[in-house]
Amino acid sequence: MTILAAPTLAAEDATRLYAEHCAACHGGDRLGAIGPALLPENLGRLRKAEAEKVIAQGRDATQMPGHADKLSPEQIKVLAEYVYTPLAAVPSWGMAEIKASHVVSVDPAGLPARPQWTTDPLNLFTVVETGDHHVTILDGDSFKPLARFASRFALHGGAKYSPDGRFVYLASRDGWITKYDLYTLQIVAEIRAGVNTRNVAVSHDGRFLMVGNMLPHTLVALDARDLSPLQVIPVVGDEKATSRVSAVYTAPPRSSFVVALKDILEVWEIPYADDAGPVMNGFVHSYEKGLEEGISPGGRFQAIRIRTPDYLDDFFFDRTYERVMGASRDGKKGLVVDLDIKRKIAEIDLPGMPHLGSGIIFRKDGRDYMATPHLKEAVISIIDMETWKTVKRIPTLGPGFFMRSHENTGYAWIDVSMGKEKDAIQIIDLNAMEIARTLRPAPGRTTAHAEFDRSGKHVLISVMEADGELIVFDAERFEVVARMPMKRPVGKYNVFNKINYSSGTSH
């Protein structure tokens, strides 16, 4: 193979190099095939320098080979630039493509009724390890793994469960949704619902999944039984404007999905109850069938569109799910939208880009308070959920990403991993609303994401390194109980806490 000198490398060379060395696995359109999609939206957590290293050396525990023996450093750099170049148009990934990707590995009707192992099925953890793209199913009583299996590329950390806790649903950055049976420890079905997917939500009755996509600009409804696709919902606002989906959530008391949008000044609510009536947006001039101006067209799942005064991301709900908090695009405030009256009812003083999706609710003196970390400020904000006033700002050692608590503890655990002191975990006394303890369980290493077990007696902490680990703490004494080697464990999710919508964990 002729090695081209750096000055002669041009766009056509990048296209040719990609076609020759990458297209067979990643698709000629870069939308993915055997390998993941290679688009800037899908590679957001991978720096270009690391991408060049992967092209040159390959990736362990995957089918990605190294190309250093075939490509010069200049060619590798050109390829890396190419895959970080946005596509000229939003890619198409509709019902035909989704159906073609569907794989059912196990007939759900033939699965046994009981677990094929002996432990508490509601005290399991699903641990997402992005270091080598695997998932570990961890017994929360013995802290021993029950299974470990290869996952799709770049899973989002947020595992979701069926209401009985039997099945776990996983979403990858490049659109794959996986259904895994915790009773028999095997994959049941998979489907690719998008090109770049934000997350998946499960209806509280366990019947439906709703997938939110960044690319294309769609929501996709799936049958939870075997992931069969039910409906593709274009995310379109006024004047045909389309939007990426920031996230989709389940609102159990409302029997609905609630959707945060990046590019439209709206919040969407999508009812899924069988007796949900027609959805009406705007003025309705006729109730005659077929003439319902303002009624969302077509399909079982229809969106109620609620206008907002700002773009809102990263939602958090009150206990009733009647009110939703959203972080404003400018990162300086939060807005509260009432889903019943369908308008903004409050504005919250929250500078420093709050990470509401990682917030918690706790009860103090007969009132509900919400606590949230901030991505750009070293502080925890405490908000009174009756007045929507910020009642206290607790200084921390740095900006943080994750915060967790539990109904059976008076403490909240936070990381400060977005700052310089990435190895610190800080513990807040919720009654006193102040820092009670600072731990450094792995000095010099990035430490984050607390998660409680079912009882609230133990807390699991991730050391988010390639050769990382899980560290188990006694939640009362703050002492280490166990350590387990893991490959960059970015998140772990307890079955009981998730299916019961614990006020101390993310939903």
Side-chain angles (χ1 to χ4, degrees):
M1 176 179 175
T2 302
I3 303 299
L4 301 176
T8 67
L9 291 174
E12 59 267 25
D13 297 303
T15 304
R16 177 181 58 78
L17 288 169
Y18 180 87
E20 183 177 346
H21 297 284
C22 311
C25 289
H26 297 281
D29 51 10
R30 293 162 54 201
L31 301 186
I34 299 171
L38 296 179
L39 304 173
E41 297 88 350
N42 297 60
L43 301 171
R45 296 179 183 175
L46 187 71
R47 298 179 185 274
K48 283 186 183 178
E50 183 63 23
E52 292 177 19
K53 182 178 177 182
V54 170
I55 295 169
Q57 301 177 13
R59 188 185 285 275
D60 292 340
T62 73
Q63 298 180 51
M64 174 68 187
H67 290 79
D69 60 336
K70 306 181 188 72
L71 302 175
S72 69
E74 292 80 9
Q75 289 174 315
I76 289 171
K77 188 175 291 291
V78 163
L79 264 179
E81 287 291 335
Y82 181 66
V83 299
Y84 279 90
T85 302
L87 296 177
V90 175
S92 174
W93 195 262
M95 184 61 81
E97 292 86 356
I98 295 169
K99 283 184 175 179
S101 73
H102 189 205
V103 177
V104 178
S105 303
V106 178
D107 180 3
L111 292 170
R114 298 181 179 279
Q116 303 302 290
W117 33 261
T118 304
T119 191
D120 181 357
L122 298 184
N123 198 28
L124 300 182
F125 291 85
T126 298
V127 186
V128 176
E129 299 179 68
T130 61
D132 61 355
H133 307 288
H134 276 70
V135 172
T136 291
I137 306 302
L138 186 71
D139 177 2
D141 292 332
S142 67
F143 301 115
K144 302 292 185 185
L146 293 180
R148 190 173 191 266
F149 61 95
S151 73
R152 292 286 176 173
F153 175 79
L155 284 190
H156 287 285
K160 301 295 172 62
Y161 297 100
S162 59
D164 60 0
R166 170 167 189 164
F167 300 105
V168 58
Y169 300 95
L170 303 162
S172 76
R173 186 172 293 276
D174 58 348
W176 283 97
I177 307 300
T178 301
K179 178 177 183 176
Y180 185 86
D181 180 24
L182 293 172
Y183 283 12
T184 60
L185 303 174
Q186 61 183 331
I187 292 174
V188 175
E190 290 190 298
I191 195 166
R192 192 178 186 191
V195 174
N196 181 264
T197 291
R198 185 63 186 91
N199 76 323
V200 63
V202 183
S203 64
H204 82 288
D205 57 13
R207 294 188 298 163
F208 307 115
L209 272 61
M210 189 64 73
V211 182
N213 289 321
M214 301 280 277
L215 290 175
H217 298 168
T218 60
L219 292 150
V220 179
L222 305 175
D223 187 324
R225 290 173 296 185
D226 64 356
L227 304 186
S228 294
L230 300 174
Q231 187 178 336
V232 177
I233 307 166
V235 182
V236 182
D238 295 331
E239 300 179 359
K240 306 292 185 184
T242 65
S243 177
R244 298 165 290 171
V245 175
S246 292
V248 56
Y249 306 84
T250 305
R254 306 177 68 83
S255 296
S256 67
F257 297 111
V258 180
V259 186
L261 303 177
K262 276 196 172 293
D263 310 305
I264 298 176
L265 293 169
E266 295 177 355
V267 172
W268 282 15
E269 182 172 20
I270 303 177
Y272 54 74
D274 291 335
D275 59 355
V279 169
M280 302 179 185
N281 292 297
F283 295 103
V284 179
H285 296 295
S286 174
Y287 292 96
E288 183 180 346
K289 188 172 178 59
L291 297 177
E292 305 94 331
E293 182 180 341
I295 298 181
S296 298
R300 185 194 199 288
F301 300 95
Q302 302 180 50
I304 301 168
R305 295 167 50 195
I306 303 171
R307 274 62 174 182
T308 58
D310 199 351
Y311 297 98
L312 298 180
D313 288 322
D314 199 23
F315 284 1
F316 188 89
F317 297 85
D318 70 359
R319 292 186 195 270
T320 68
Y321 283 83
E322 293 174 9
R323 288 163 287 276
V324 58
M325 301 167 58
S328 65
R329 181 67 54 85
D330 63 12
K332 296 179 180 179
K333 62 181 179 294
L335 300 181
V336 184
V337 175
D338 189 300
L339 296 176
D340 285 339
I341 64 176
K342 298 176 176 49
R343 64 176 177 84
K344 184 192 88 169
I345 60 168
E347 190 169 300
I348 308 171
D349 179 28
L350 286 174
M353 194 170 287
H355 187 209
L356 301 180
S358 187
I360 66 166
I361 294 177
F362 65 96
R363 196 88 174 148
K364 173 179 163 60
D365 300 329
R367 301 172 75 92
D368 273 349
Y369 293 88
M370 186 266 188
T372 181
H374 294 251
L375 300 177
K376 291 188 176 180
E377 191 171 349
V379 70
I380 298 294
S381 292
I382 308 293
I383 299 148
D384 184 322
M385 298 188 78
E386 291 184 19
T387 65
W388 301 109
K389 301 295 184 184
T390 301
V391 296
K392 188 161 186 180
R393 289 163 60 82
I394 305 172
T396 62
L397 292 176
F401 199 84
F402 298 106
M403 185 172 190
R404 292 290 185 269
S405 187
H406 192 278
E407 287 78 1
N408 294 336
T409 180
Y411 297 99
W413 295 53
I414 61 168
D415 67 78
V416 292
S417 61
M418 309 297 288
K420 293 181 178 179
E421 300 196 50
K422 297 182 178 182
D423 60 352
I425 294 291
Q426 297 198 276
I427 302 171
I428 295 176
D429 182 325
L430 294 174
N431 187 57
M433 295 189 188
E434 60 185 29
I435 300 292
R437 185 78 66 91
T438 297
L439 307 174
R440 297 184 189 270
R445 313 184 80 197
T446 302
T447 309
H449 194 270
E451 181 79 339
F452 282 79
D453 66 2
R454 172 179 180 170
S455 66
K457 293 180 179 178
H458 296 98
V459 182
L460 279 65
I461 301 289
S462 291
V463 177
M464 291 185 175
E465 308 281 352
D467 57 341
E469 60 180 333
L470 286 188
I471 304 175
V472 183
F473 279 88
D474 182 298
E476 248 183 62
R477 300 194 302 271
F478 311 141
E479 296 174 355
V480 174
V481 173
R483 291 178 181 260
M484 295 158 278
M486 294 273 179
K487 299 290 186 180
R488 197 169 186 270
V490 296
K492 54 237 165 279
Y493 306 91
N494 181 265
V495 172
F496 182 87
N497 293 339
K498 293 288 279 187
I499 67 175
N500 285 282
Y501 294 87
S502 167
S503 60
T505 191
S506 62
H507 298 172

